[in-house]
């Protein structure tokens, strides 16, 4: 026991010596403790949970780095449960403490700072009484394992709570130890002007100043209220980071291309009144935002709205769409997808030879009375029509008609079938069906007198009309 006390005295003596040359790395812990004893005796496990085994603990902490401290501690207390077991416990241990408030897991300046620890220690059990007296007095090795929580009250003092499990490495009791106490600095730091720089490191100990200037205040040479360290023009008074800015546009005069008129940084201090990204000196419409040399062009066709006949629809013909480029804008073009003549409403003129083929086909398309089956005499003319469609880019509209013989509803259906019979023939000759429309109109629009045989034959017809898109 004397050897143990001598060792403790030597450790505290070493602490005192080191503290004289360290910059506040040492802290002292003083805690009230209470032990909870658990130990198997024969076939029974005594779990003595009454927290009436009070004692105390004194420790010294040595800062190693942001994550680790080294702590040496001395504890004195009791293990007691009625008349079953009573003993005094004196232990010393050396712990490595891992701090969670290390700037990685938790902010280092957090007021609440949890920590974990593990180490090695010696426990001395003495004055053992009760039915468990066969346990011998003496010193035993143990491992202190635990966790704690520190609450920082000031920079130099904290409240801390810990729970430690003393795991014996020999045939000795294991027990839990709970503690609550205070921790305080031994460094005695002094900062007379309260600027965060200790007097011993502060060239201006009685005049507060920033840490980055070693505790001395920064000068303001030009007296403009901006400290020299932040003043881009330290010898010339100004309002913009310490520099003159006559027009107040946030660009210092030495870099402002228009120092007398407020402007924007994009144009080196020159104005862009309408905010369209084109400076006024180059903007054809300086007071109205626009994208075309500074003027509005809502449809983006390269013609400013004031000159665009169709300002909301992009186009190339005075600003209006002209899809087929024939000089007739689409809204007025009867054939907006096909190049044509202005004089013909934007549609191409049907060549005489083409019209002759169509007219001949109309005459030669024949059906038997009451039938939608094409006569063979129709094939030659229809083949010429198919050849024309292959050589030219036009569509065809087929309109079927009948004479007035028979029921009107039946004639209407018959006229549709006849028009579609002609359409089917042309498709068989290789014409895309999407280019041919077919419909029937029955007895409507007769071209001859239905009271004669010849007139009725003429009315049984399919008309062909060229359609340009």
């Amino acid at each position: 026991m004397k050897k143990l006390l001598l060792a403790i005295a030597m450790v505290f003596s070493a602490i005192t010596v080191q503290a004289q040359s360290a910059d506040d790395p040492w802290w002292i812990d003083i805690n009230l403790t209470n032990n909870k004893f658990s130990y198997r005796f024969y076939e029974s496990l005594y779990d003595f949970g009454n927290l009436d085994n009070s004692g105390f603990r004194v420790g010294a902490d040595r800062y190693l780095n942001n994550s680790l401290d080294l702590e040496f501690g001395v504890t004195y207390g009791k293990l007691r449960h009625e008349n079953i077991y009573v003993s005094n416990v004196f232990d010393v241990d050396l712990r490595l403490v891992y701090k969670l408030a290390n700037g990685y897991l938790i902010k280092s300046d957090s007021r609440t700072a949890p920590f974990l620890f593990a180490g090695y220690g010696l426990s001395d059990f003495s004055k053992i009484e009760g039915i468990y007296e066969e346990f011998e007095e003496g010193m035993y090795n143990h491992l202190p394992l635990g966790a704690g929580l520190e609450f920082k009250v000031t920079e130099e003092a904290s409240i801390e709570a810990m729970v430690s499990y003393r795991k014996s490495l020999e045939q000795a009791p294991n027990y839990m130890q709970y503690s609550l106490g205070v921790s305080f600095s031994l460094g005695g730091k002094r900062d007379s002007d309260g600027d965060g720089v200790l007097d011993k490191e502060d060239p201006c100990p009685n005049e507060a100043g920033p840490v980055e200037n070693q505790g001395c205040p920064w000068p303001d040479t030009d007296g403009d209220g901006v400290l020299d360290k932040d003043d881009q023009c330290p010898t010339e008074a100004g309002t913009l980071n310490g520099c003159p800015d006559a027009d107040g546009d946030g660009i210092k005069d030495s870099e402002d291309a228009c120092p007398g008129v407020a402007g924007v940084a994009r144009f080196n201090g020159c104005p862009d009144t309408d905010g369209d990204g084109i400076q006024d000196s180059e903007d054809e419409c300086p007071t109205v935002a626009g994208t075309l040399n500074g003027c509005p062009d809502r449809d983006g066709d390269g013609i400013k709205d004031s000159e665009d006949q169709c300002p909301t629809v992009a186009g190339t013909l005075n600003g209006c769409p002209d899809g087929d480029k024939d000089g007739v804008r689409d809204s007025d073009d009867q054939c907006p997808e096909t190049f044509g003549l202005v004089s013909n409403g934007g549609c191409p003129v049907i060549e005489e030879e083409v019209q002759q083929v169509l007219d001949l086909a109309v005459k030669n398309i024949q059906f038997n009375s009451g039938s939608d089956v094409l006569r063979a005499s129709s094939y030659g003319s229809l083949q010429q029509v198919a050849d024309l469609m292959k050589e030219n880019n036009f569509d065809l509209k087929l309109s079927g008609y009948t004479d007035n013989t028979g029921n009107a509803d039946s004639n209407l259906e018959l006229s549709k079938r006849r028009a579609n019979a002609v359409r089917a023939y042309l498709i068989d000759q290789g014409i895309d069906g999407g280019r041919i429309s077919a419909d029937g109109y029955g007895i409507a629009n007769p071209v001859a007198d239905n009271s004669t045989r010849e007139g009725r034959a003429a009315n049984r017809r399919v008309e062909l009309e060229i359609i340009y898109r």
Side-chain angles (χ1 to χ4, degrees), residues 161-459:
M162 288 185 291
V163 58
S164 173
Y165 178 59
R166 306 302 177 96
K167 172 62 180 174
S168 177
L169 298 178
E170 301 171 83
Q171 293 299 318
N174 302 321
Y175 61 95
M176 297 292 292
Q177 184 177 93
Y178 303 93
S179 61
L180 178 65
V182 296
S183 180
F184 54 90
S185 169
L186 287 178
K189 296 183 291 185
R190 185 176 181 184
D191 179 12
S192 299
D193 53 18
D195 59 5
V197 181
L198 299 179
D199 288 356
K200 65 181 181 179
E201 300 173 354
D202 194 336
C204 310
N206 297 316
E207 190 176 6
V211 175
E212 59 268 28
N213 199 36
Q214 297 182 319
C216 289
W218 294 104
D220 176 17
T221 303
D222 54 18
D224 57 6
V226 182
L227 300 179
D228 286 359
K229 72 180 185 68
D230 301 320
D231 198 327
Q232 296 179 9
C233 305
T235 60
E236 187 178 8
T239 57
L240 181 64
N241 298 323
C243 293
D245 176 19
D247 54 19
D249 58 4
I251 302 170
K252 58 186 179 181
D253 291 350
S254 60
E255 298 176 358
D256 196 330
C258 305
V261 182
V264 294
R266 179 176 181 179
F267 301 118
N268 299 320
C270 290
D272 173 18
T273 302
D274 53 19
D276 59 4
I278 301 175
Q279 66 186 76
D280 290 356
S281 61
E282 300 174 2
D283 196 328
E284 294 181 10
C285 305
T287 60
V288 182
T291 57
L292 182 63
N293 298 323
C295 292
D297 177 19
R298 282 174 289 172
D299 54 17
D301 58 5
I303 301 174
K304 58 186 179 181
D305 289 354
S306 60
E307 300 175 359
D308 195 328
Q309 294 180 10
C310 303
T312 60
V313 183
T316 57
L317 183 62
N318 297 322
C320 293
D322 177 18
D324 54 16
K325 311 296 183 187
D326 59 2
V328 181
R329 62 185 183 185
D330 291 351
S331 60
D332 299 329
D333 197 330
Q334 298 177 26
C335 304
E337 297 182 18
T338 305
F339 186 89
L341 301 177
V342 174
S343 59
N344 198 36
C347 292
V349 176
I350 300 174
E351 297 179 4
E352 184 177 352
E353 294 80 359
V354 173
Q355 189 62 51
Q356 288 176 355
V357 171
L358 297 181
D359 293 342
L360 180 62
V362 171
K363 292 180 181 179
N364 290 337
I365 294 174
Q366 296 181 357
F367 300 92
N368 291 327
S369 179
S371 171
D372 60 1
V373 178
L374 280 168
R375 290 182 179 179
S377 59
S378 307
Y379 297 161
S381 294
L382 288 178
Q383 183 61 54
Q384 292 181 20
V385 173
D387 293 341
L388 277 177
M389 292 188 73
K390 292 177 183 178
E391 296 170 0
N392 296 273
N393 184 28
F394 61 78
D395 294 345
L396 204 60
K397 179 181 177 181
L398 305 177
S399 301
Y401 296 93
T402 66
D403 60 29
N404 65 349
T405 304
N407 180 271
D409 291 340
S410 298
N411 284 334
L412 179 63
E413 291 301 319
L414 178 60
S415 67
K416 292 181 179 181
R417 292 199 305 273
R418 286 176 173 175
N420 279 289
V422 175
R423 180 176 183 271
Y425 181 87
L426 294 174
I427 291 174
D428 287 343
Q429 306 311 306
I431 306 303
D432 184 355
R435 296 177 61 191
I436 309 171
S437 65
D439 204 354
Y441 303 94
I443 63 175
N445 302 323
V447 296
D449 187 355
N450 277 311
S451 63
T452 66
R453 180 178 180 182
E454 292 78 9
R456 288 191 294 274
N459 288 332

